[in-house]
Amino acid sequence: MAHSHEAHHHERPRDLTRNQELVLTTLNNAEAPLSAYDILDKLRDDGLRAPLQVYRALEKLIEHGLAHRLESLNAFVCCADANCHGRASGTAAFAICSGCGRVDEFADPEVTARLAAWAGETGFALERTTIELRGRCAECRKAA
Amino acid sequence: MAHSHEAHHHERPRDLTRNQELVLTTLNNAEAPLSAYDILDKLRDDGLRAPLQVYRALEKLIEHGLAHRLESLNAFVCCADANCHGRASGTAAFAICSGCGRVDEFADPEVTARLAAWAGETGFALERTTIELRGRCAECRKAA
DNA sequence: TCGATAGCGTAATGTCATAACATATCGCCT
DNA sequence: AGGCGATATGTTATGACATTACGCTATCGA
Ligand SMILES: [Zn+2]
Ligand SMILES: [Zn+2]
Ligand SMILES: [Zn+2]
Ligand SMILES: [Zn+2]
């Protein structure tokens, strides 16, 4: 572990390609999750033309932990949890507001532990976990 | 609350229409989740012709707690947890095997409680929760 | 210099889901 | 019986999301 061989289990983030950079920036600038086609539309002026260009970039960003896919929305957000990349915080959970569309990423170690425990007892080899909460955020409730 | 006004918060399950019955039976007979189009194909001989007929039936079945949508799969399963309909067990979680495709429905009250607690602290009005685990089931691991 | 790996561009296609409109059926009140 | 609202249905067309297939290019180390 002595010489510079990269962090051992998680790519260093910053060797993004042009398309990946464009997509990540678009996600970063967005207030709410974007679908792949939303992203594509925003990047037409930068030369992107086909959905696949976006999907390929997203795939890498997600691999690197820089973005997440929201399954219940068929849309994508950039990662908001500094610890998430280093996976110190366990499985990420997402609270999605049906009012403003904003997404709050958080992690609860106890939840992670309980699900891992269930997997352990059951013999289920856990690879990936999706936790998505739908509802209305505090701000939208006040604005009601 | 004295006279017969139905159970107060959860419909009695058995007043399904023909289409709902057909779809539910199809899901019950399936070993793995089915997409709406899978269901449609299986029900062509029974007179179903359009996706919407299936989606409408699914919508009601899900409302009644007789079926669930798996967001990470865009597919549907029938509910496997007797308690689920009576909502005694809290939020349902699903373990989806990438080997055999089978789905295991379970509920962990502690997980439910932790997510509810997060929502409480944050002021998030929780309406619906999705928890989906991807991996390989014990049987598929043995068969490896 | 060669081959392997990764990324890129494009077209076509596949899969999932809903809008819009027209009918039909049932419970209920008059 | 007649009228009404609520719910379910059937059908067509369309929209939204995602992948397959193919060929080209850049990079890097043997
Ligand atoms: Zn994250
Ligand atoms: Zn909100
Ligand atoms: Zn259930
Ligand atoms: Zn399996």
Side-chain angles (χ1 to χ4, degrees):
Chain A
M1 210 181 188
H3 74 308
S4 66
H5 200 80
E6 293 293 7
H8 59 127
H9 61 351
H10 222 15
E11 222 73 5
R12 248 339 178 2
R14 287 301 132 74
D15 53 344
L16 299 180
T17 67
R18 168 178 157 82
N19 286 1
Q20 289 162 21
E21 201 79 67
L22 286 169
V23 168
L24 182 56
T25 301
T26 304
L27 286 178
N28 261 309
N29 293 339
E31 292 272 292
L34 297 176
S35 76
Y37 282 75
D38 291 339
I39 296 169
L40 177 57
D41 285 340
K42 290 182 187 294
L43 292 176
R44 299 244 182 231
D45 293 345
D46 297 283
L48 270 67
R49 293 155 184 264
L52 203 50
Q53 296 175 286
V54 174
Y55 281 109
R56 288 200 273 229
L58 285 168
E59 183 182 18
K60 289 305 174 190
L61 293 174
I62 291 169
E63 265 179 43
H64 295 172
L66 297 171
H68 298 285
R69 174 183 172 84
L70 300 176
E71 300 286 357
S72 66
L73 235 43
N74 293 333
F76 305 84
V77 286
C78 61
C79 179
D81 183 346
N83 293 12
C84 184
H85 311 152
R87 70 175 55 197
S89 49
T91 302
F94 302 90
I96 303 164
C97 178
S98 54
C100 60
R102 265 184 270 265
V103 172
D104 198 343
E105 175 175 352
F106 67 100
D108 184 314
E110 179 67 15
V111 169
T112 304
R114 294 288 301 180
L115 295 177
W118 181 91
E121 292 161 16
T122 317
F124 187 84
L126 187 52
E127 285 161 9
R128 187 161 66 79
T129 302
T130 299
I131 303 176
E132 295 176 19
L133 280 47
R134 308 296 295 271
R136 287 178 77 83
C137 76
E139 205 161 332
C140 284
R141 289 172 71 190
K142 273 186 293 189
Chain B
M1 213 180 186
H3 73 311
S4 69
H5 200 82
E6 293 293 4
H8 59 127
H9 62 350
H10 223 12
E11 223 73 5
R12 241 0 177 349
R14 286 304 133 71
D15 52 343
L16 298 180
T17 68
R18 168 177 157 83
N19 286 0
Q20 290 161 20
E21 200 80 65
L22 286 169
V23 168
L24 182 56
T25 300
T26 304
L27 285 178
N28 261 309
N29 293 339
E31 292 273 291
L34 298 177
S35 76
Y37 282 76
D38 291 340
I39 296 169
L40 178 57
D41 285 341
K42 289 182 187 293
L43 291 176
R44 298 243 182 232
D45 294 345
D46 297 282
L48 269 69
R49 293 157 185 262
L52 208 48
Q53 296 176 285
V54 175
Y55 280 109
R56 289 200 273 228
L58 285 168
E59 183 182 16
K60 289 305 175 190
L61 292 174
I62 290 169
E63 266 179 41
H64 296 172
L66 298 171
H68 298 284
R69 174 185 172 84
L70 300 176
E71 300 286 357
S72 66
L73 236 42
N74 293 333
F76 304 84
V77 286
C78 62
C79 178
D81 182 349
N83 292 13
C84 185
H85 311 153
R87 69 175 55 198
S89 48
T91 301
F94 302 89
I96 303 164
C97 177
S98 54
C100 61
R102 265 185 270 264
V103 172
D104 199 343
E105 175 174 352
F106 67 100
D108 185 314
E110 179 67 14
V111 168
T112 304
R114 295 288 300 178
L115 295 177
W118 181 91
E121 291 161 17
T122 317
F124 187 85
L126 186 52
E127 285 161 7
R128 188 160 66 80
T129 302
T130 299
I131 303 177
E132 294 176 19
L133 280 47
R134 307 296 295 269
R136 286 179 77 82
C137 76
E139 204 160 331
C140 283
R141 290 172 71 189
K142 273 185 295 189

